Amino acid sequence: MLPRTLHATPKIKPCLNSRSAQTFKAFYATIRDLRHSRNAPEGGDGEPADDDFIMSILRANPSLRDTRSYLASFGPKAKPTPPREVRPERNEQTDVPVATEARPPDVAPQPQSPVIASILDPIVRRTALVKVQGPFTDKQLESIARGMIYLEKLGLLSVMIVENDQMARGEENERSAIVEDTMRVVGALEKQGARARPVLGAVVRLGPNPGDEDVEERDFAVPEAHTFPSDLVHIRSALRAGEIPVLPPMALDSFCRSVRIDSNHVIAALARGMTEAAALERTEKPGQARESEVPSDDVDLTPMRLMIINREGGVPSYARSGLPHLLVNLTSEFSYIKETFDPQWKGSHPTALSNLALARTCLAYMPPSSSAVMVSHRSPSSLIANLITNKPAVSSSLPHALLQGNRKLNPHTPTLLRRGLDIRVIRTAAEIDRPKMKALLEQSFKRSLDEGPFWERLEKSLDFVIVAGDYAGAAIVTREECPPNAPPDFNPITYLDKFAVLPSHQGDGTVDFLWVALHDESYGLGLPFSANPNGGKQGKGEGRDLVWRSRANNPVNKWYFERSTGHVRMGEWVLFWCDAEKRLKTEGAGRANAGLSYIEHWEHGRLSVWADVVMKIQSSWRK
């Protein structure tokens, strides 16, 4: 459904002045027609060639937050400086004094951007674990090698483990065959100008890590291999020399023989071993207690990315007819994805579930900021976007209708996986942890909560609260009664009172996880793709229009515009809403090719009712 401008508008109540009425006419937009899917033509404005490194960076389109996050990991560590006086400068065009610190970056750009300079010449070098899941042709390996070089230029050094799905374990001459595959990858890297080092000796040992037998049962598969810091000497040496270590999936057995094992066990053992070795190094070096602090001439062994490059692409999604999942919350979605995995996908995606389990295990050992990506060999430049933004190619919280028609969503779209948080739904105000909710709201909005009236209001009108993790994020939804003069068939208004995420969790997927759960619990109810494991109604029920308001100058509004069905500006406020998707689908299907009109019978007068109720809700903040 694409936004369209109205040619007719409902009557607005007299309480809204004429200027507001004009605003309704000018800005009322509703997502309607999805019958015309707009696919990009071949060539023309299509995606730029993967061999253009700079264009690949630009195509990632990083936001300011993305850039700051990237520089926090790879850029120089700024030393704290005392506050300095803001001196006025002259604006050459207007001759009006302007504070230097307030000048937007596009008014007077510097000759050389420090952001671009830092991206192209990173100070800190970090590591990624890369599973090269073949077999691949020489041309395909060339594409993969090019992606690895992209990452190396951005400061991410890959530790590559080579797998061949068509080579059964135990075959005659399998060792020489897997070594040959490893050397082909090394050769492909060197042909592209990279420095690569084959590490043909086993660096992991068969069997669980000593001491694991005493640990309580975990919610992920414990690796059936392990490694000690001393075993990583060849990997560490290669990384420090600026070389990409390439390993076959070999392990030492109890007789010190080098045997081939499942590459997933090797990768999981390395994820744990490299993380632990890096932590040990920091404790041995005073003044480097934080994860981000490593010498500029060294390499942080802690893996910050797991990359699975295969011929399958991402994990097929039940919500998108087999097209890949965009973003997976492993904590809350892992079991459900396995349960809803269509048996027919086993032919086209035979290793999707095993790779899903691999990501879950590795991310359990890697830092919380880490992520995993499952990507086809056809999309090497998408690895750049993942590194710089740490976000999926297309946001999973966009309206399902827009995702269906999005040209970026195809069988080769990568799947991004995060450790994530558990999601649960609270139905009564008594179940809310008030101190934690207060801390979340105040840190997110940077304002002081007027607690008395706020809690009193929730006790009377709370519909539900969706909580992510230990109050890392929350969506508070209330039921607002319609005024007496509203049409008799009007239901109570489902109002999004607060949507908040802790600053420390903004950018780690929590926002999308929370909005998807909100969708499933309100305007997405009743449709199959709303049956996500978010602790709520599991998609059962009738969808309800979701309404909320936001200050007109709120920088988050761009994000709201993309996810709402429509909006209307009302002075200093913007009123947003999401139509119940099941009703839109039913109405549209009933009219076949005629589609929906601009104003349906159930839409007449609702904006007036919503405005009358929502704009009278008192602020929750202290003045």
Side-chain angles (χ1 to χ4, degrees):
M1 297 174 216
L2 301 175
R4 298 194 297 180
T5 304
L6 282 179
H7 296 293
T9 56
K11 294 183 179 180
I12 307 303
K13 298 187 71 173
C15 64
L16 301 176
N17 58 32
S18 59
R19 183 174 181 181
S20 297
Q22 293 173 357
T23 305
F24 272 100
K25 295 179 182 179
F27 293 97
Y28 179 11
T30 305
I31 297 177
R32 288 295 193 204
D33 192 359
L34 266 188
R35 289 176 293 126
H36 306 292
S37 177
R38 292 171 171 81
N39 295 321
E42 295 183 7
D45 60 350
E47 294 184 344
D50 278 339
D51 59 357
D52 191 330
F53 175 60
I54 301 300
M55 288 302 295
S56 296
I57 294 178
L58 296 176
R59 197 170 90 197
N61 192 25
S63 66
L64 180 58
R65 178 179 292 156
D66 297 333
T67 304
R68 286 173 176 167
S69 178
Y70 170 83
L71 292 179
S73 295
F74 294 93
K77 300 297 176 283
K79 297 180 179 180
T81 55
R84 58 193 177 97
E85 180 183 357
V86 178
R87 298 181 180 276
E89 287 188 354
R90 291 280 176 181
N91 185 307
E92 295 180 1
Q93 295 181 346
T94 61
D95 200 33
V96 177
V98 180
T100 304
E101 314 300 51
R103 172 184 291 162
D106 56 345
V107 171
Q110 298 296 320
Q112 182 179 10
S113 168
V115 172
I116 297 298
S118 297
I119 289 178
L120 296 178
D121 186 18
I123 303 300
V124 178
R125 294 181 295 166
R126 297 185 174 275
T127 54
L129 284 169
V130 181
K131 178 182 180 182
V132 183
Q133 185 179 335
F136 293 115
T137 66
D138 290 343
K139 188 69 174 178
Q140 291 166 348
L141 283 180
E142 177 184 323
S143 175
I144 294 171
R146 194 160 57 243
M148 296 301 99
I149 292 174
Y150 287 166
L151 298 179
E152 185 181 18
K153 290 179 180 178
L154 292 170
L156 191 69
L157 298 180
S158 301
V159 178
M160 303 177 68
I161 297 87
V162 180
E163 182 61 284
N164 188 325
D165 288 342
Q166 295 181 359
M167 188 186 302
R169 284 190 293 278
E171 287 186 351
E172 187 178 359
N173 300 323
E174 69 169 337
R175 178 182 174 85
S176 60
I178 196 66
V179 167
E180 182 181 345
D181 275 357
T182 302
M183 297 307 297
R184 285 183 65 229
V185 174
V186 171
L189 290 166
E190 292 181 339
K191 283 182 181 179
Q192 295 296 316
R195 298 169 61 194
R197 180 189 299 187
V199 181
L200 303 180
V203 296
V204 304
R205 305 163 186 257
L206 272 179
N209 199 61
D212 277 353
E213 60 273 6
D214 300 328
V215 179
E216 296 181 0
E217 186 176 350
R218 298 171 180 173
D219 60 357
F220 59 90
V222 176
E224 296 183 12
H226 65 281
T227 187
F228 298 121
S230 58
D231 298 326
L232 302 174
V233 60
H234 297 295
I235 291 178
R236 192 191 314 271
S237 171
L239 293 174
R240 285 177 173 169
E243 299 171 340
I244 298 175
V246 186
L247 292 68
M250 310 295 287
L252 286 176
D253 65 10
S254 56
F255 297 99
C256 292
R257 296 176 301 189
S258 182
V259 297
R260 182 190 174 205
I261 65 172
D262 189 325
S263 61
N264 285 3
H265 297 317
V266 176
I267 296 168
L270 287 175
R272 179 178 185 176
M274 290 170 64
T275 301
E276 292 176 348
L280 182 63
E281 277 190 352
R282 286 191 291 272
T283 59
E284 293 175 350
K285 295 179 181 179
Q288 293 183 16
R290 295 205 309 268
E291 171 196 340
S292 61
E293 293 182 342
V294 294
S296 59
D297 59 346
D298 206 349
V299 178
D300 189 348
L301 271 184
T302 309
M304 66 179 302
R305 293 287 190 278
L306 168 66
M307 297 177 175
I308 301 169
I309 304 175
N310 56 28
R311 297 171 297 164
E312 306 171 15
V315 184
S317 169
Y318 55 87
R320 280 181 274 280
S321 304
L323 288 177
H325 279 276
L326 297 170
L327 178 64
V328 174
N329 180 347
L330 288 168
T331 297
S332 66
E333 297 180 54
F334 178 80
S335 297
Y336 191 70
I337 291 175
K338 289 179 63 178
E339 294 168 6
T340 56
F341 192 84
D342 194 317
Q344 68 180 0
W345 295 336
K346 292 181 180 179
S348 59
H349 296 75
T351 63
L353 294 183
S354 62
N355 283 330
L356 186 72
L358 171 64
R360 189 188 195 197
T361 298
C362 290
L363 291 178
Y365 294 115
M366 292 159 65
S369 59
S370 302
S371 65
V373 61
M374 294 172 59
V375 60
S376 164
H377 63 86
R378 298 173 181 266
S379 307
S381 66
S382 64
L383 298 176
I384 283 185
N386 170 255
L387 176 61
I388 297 178
T389 68
N390 209 7
K391 295 177 181 178
V394 183
S395 174
S396 59
S397 63
L398 286 171
H400 186 77
L402 292 183
L403 288 176
Q404 285 180 317
N406 196 304
R407 65 187 179 91
K408 290 185 178 181
L409 188 57
N410 59 63
H412 302 289
T413 302
T415 295
L416 182 67
L417 307 105
R418 306 296 297 254
R419 186 188 303 180
L421 302 166
D422 64 293
I423 304 290
R424 66 187 187 280
V425 178
I426 294 174
R427 301 288 175 187
T428 65
E431 298 177 74
I432 301 174
D433 187 319
R434 296 192 177 190
K436 290 182 179 179
M437 180 63 80
K438 176 178 181 289
L440 164 62
L441 295 177
E442 292 188 341
Q443 289 183 51
S444 178
F445 287 90
K446 295 181 174 59
R447 302 183 69 180
S448 297
L449 189 68
D450 193 0
E451 291 193 73
F454 176 74
W455 296 120
E456 182 180 352
R457 170 174 149 70
L458 291 192
E459 289 169 359
K460 293 179 180 179
S461 59
L462 180 67
D463 190 349
F464 61 87
V465 180
I466 302 174
V467 178
D470 189 18
Y471 287 81
I476 301 176
V477 177
T478 60
R479 290 178 70 82
E480 305 296 330
E481 296 298 328
C482 295
N485 57 350
D489 58 342
F490 261 58
N491 295 318
I493 300 171
T494 302
Y495 176 67
L496 176 59
D497 188 275
K498 294 286 184 293
F499 187 84
V501 174
L502 286 175
S504 58
H505 283 269
Q506 293 174 8
D508 69 356
T510 301
V511 171
D512 279 333
F513 297 145
L514 196 58
W515 192 270
V516 169
L518 175 64
H519 161 275
D520 296 346
E521 201 66 16
S522 56
Y523 64 97
L525 275 175
L527 294 176
F529 50 79
S530 298
N532 294 303
N534 55 38
K537 296 183 178 180
Q538 305 292 301
K540 299 177 182 177
E542 292 296 321
R544 297 173 288 166
D545 300 335
L546 180 70
V547 184
W548 71 99
R549 70 182 183 185
S550 175
R551 294 279 181 184
N553 61 353
N554 188 346
V556 180
N557 285 346
K558 179 181 182 295
W559 197 82
Y560 286 151
F561 290 145
E562 295 171 344
R563 282 151 187 79
S564 64
T565 302
H567 68 276
V568 59
R569 298 184 186 273
M570 305 180 63
E572 62 179 1
W573 293 96
V574 180
L575 181 72
F576 293 93
W577 70 91
C578 289
D579 286 319
E581 290 183 341
K582 184 178 179 180
R583 181 177 62 234
L584 287 181
K585 185 174 182 179
T586 302
E587 293 278 348
R591 304 197 179 194
N593 293 333
L596 294 175
S597 64
Y598 287 103
I599 299 284
E600 295 296 317
H601 63 89
W602 39 266
E603 292 181 289
H604 281 288
R606 66 175 186 167
L607 286 182
S608 296
V609 175
W610 289 347
D612 189 26
V613 173
V614 169
M615 293 305 161
K616 291 180 181 177
I617 296 176
Q618 296 297 311
S619 171
S620 305
W621 310 110
R622 291 180 181 173
K623 296 182 179 179

